[in-house]
Amino acid sequence: MEEFFIASDDADFTSLVQRFRAADRRTTVIVAGPVAAAYRQMADTVIQSHDFLALLSGVASSALAVEPARPRAGDTAKPAAKKASLASSAAVAVREMVKAAEGPIKSAVVAQRALPVDPTLSSDWGGQGKFGTWITRIDDGIQFAPIPSPGWVWDAKRFSQGDLPTVEDPDASFQNQIARVTDIPALSAVQYRQILVTLADKLAETTNRSELAKLVRDECLASDVPVARSSVNYVIQGLIYAKVTLASGLSSAELTRAWVGHVEGMCRVSGLQLDKGEAAKLRAWAGEG
């Protein structure tokens, strides 16, 4: 067999995946929530269970949130694929966003603008490997810098690196730490708030999880607060873990309390001890702000 599938988020399987890797076999891991970084990085592909079920139900693969495959020796991107990605609708959307911005934009915000337009970019950014390479190849005066954290994109015809923050944003550093430890999406506070408010609104239309995620993603995009469908699915899954029954009539405040409680619980399980100030910053970032 050339590829193995493991349906478990138990990190004890890391050693098994490592053996498959040593034997030059591909592995796809299907998980139902956060997964240990070492386990995720050792596998070729990681798929959330709700996306896998959507695939079995006939949802187009381009809508699925599949984490990037681990690169292998000899794997190369085809030039034609690279060229096509740079002229894609996602590139056009990003170009329009950056050109209209009133200053440099955080790279995560720009990436979240591109992914809903072209979800296939989540695999390897159109053959470029990573976001930074992809965004700079759009050209047209668009520049990218990974430092200061969390990375910035700007229109070089109107701005320069001198317009970037001179000191790393302590809130961004804290948020990145939480995202690394808990595996939650590294979105902005505005994006989390938009997801939760829109989710409460769209529950009046449907409680079907797949349809709900799409409706929320589309409404966020229309509200100029773009988020990837995978991020919406992650929040929905977190609410389900928090024992929330998705139903019409739930307020955004109720959803926010449940989601924030879920994130706080993941921090505790991960061994991350937060003081009162950090706990307040976490709540403000994850939806209460």
Side-chain angles (χ1 to χ4, degrees):
M1 296 181 65
E2 294 296 324
E3 183 169 5
F4 292 84
F5 289 79
I6 300 176
S8 174
D9 52 18
D10 190 338
D12 288 344
F13 282 97
T14 303
S15 58
L16 177 60
V17 175
Q18 188 173 19
R19 292 182 63 183
F20 287 146
R21 180 174 182 174
D24 198 30
R25 296 295 187 272
R26 290 186 176 275
T27 53
T28 293
V29 175
I30 303 169
V31 299
V35 58
Y39 186 29
R40 181 178 64 247
Q41 293 170 4
M42 192 63 64
D44 286 289
T45 306
V46 177
I47 304 177
Q48 288 290 327
S49 58
H50 49 74
D51 287 327
F52 182 68
L53 291 174
L55 178 61
L56 294 179
S57 300
V59 174
S61 60
S62 62
L64 300 183
V66 181
E67 295 192 13
R70 169 174 52 83
R72 291 173 171 270
D75 285 355
T76 58
K78 297 180 180 179
K82 288 186 178 182
K83 183 177 180 180
S85 70
L86 301 179
S88 68
S89 54
V92 172
V94 165
R95 187 182 294 110
E96 292 176 349
M97 179 186 194
V98 175
K99 292 295 181 181
E102 297 180 356
I105 311 173
K106 290 182 179 180
S107 57
V109 175
V110 178
Q112 291 296 336
R113 179 68 181 92
L115 290 174
V117 179
D118 184 0
T120 62
L121 290 175
S122 64
S123 60
D124 66 350
W125 287 101
Q128 304 302 320
K130 54 186 179 181
F131 169 78
T133 305
W134 179 82
I135 191 69
T136 54
R137 286 181 65 87
I138 290 178
D139 202 15
D140 199 24
I142 294 178
Q143 298 291 317
F144 165 76
I147 298 174
S149 178
W152 297 84
V153 179
W154 68 95
D155 176 8
K157 295 179 180 178
R158 296 182 296 133
F159 307 103
S160 69
Q161 278 194 285
D163 295 302
L164 302 182
T166 55
V167 179
E168 181 177 348
D169 183 350
D171 287 340
S173 179
F174 172 75
Q175 293 163 8
N176 289 336
Q177 178 190 16
I178 298 296
R180 285 195 301 270
V181 170
T182 64
D183 220 24
I184 69 173
L187 305 179
S188 68
V190 173
Q191 287 173 308
Y192 271 124
R193 187 63 185 156
Q194 184 68 44
I195 288 176
L196 292 162
V197 169
T198 306
L199 185 59
D201 180 55
K202 295 303 177 182
L203 277 171
E205 298 181 28
T206 181
T207 57
N208 178 278
R209 180 168 171 166
S210 180
E211 294 177 3
L212 186 61
K214 183 180 184 301
L215 287 174
V216 173
R217 188 275 310 275
D218 292 346
E219 182 62 29
C220 289
L221 183 60
S223 301
D224 291 327
V225 185
V227 294
R229 187 171 175 176
S230 58
S231 297
V232 178
N233 265 319
Y234 199 104
V235 173
I236 293 174
Q237 182 66 58
L239 291 170
I240 293 174
Y241 284 152
K243 302 188 184 306
V244 173
T245 301
L246 299 178
S248 176
L250 283 173
S251 68
S252 60
E254 291 173 310
L255 294 176
T256 297
R257 283 194 295 271
W259 165 249
V260 171
H262 172 65
V263 176
E264 290 177 321
M266 287 197 293
C267 287
R268 289 192 295 271
V269 169
S270 301
L272 183 60
Q273 301 298 321
L274 303 176
D275 60 31
K276 289 185 177 180
E278 290 172 331
K281 285 202 298 184
L282 170 63
R283 290 192 293 271
W285 169 52
E288 291 185 357

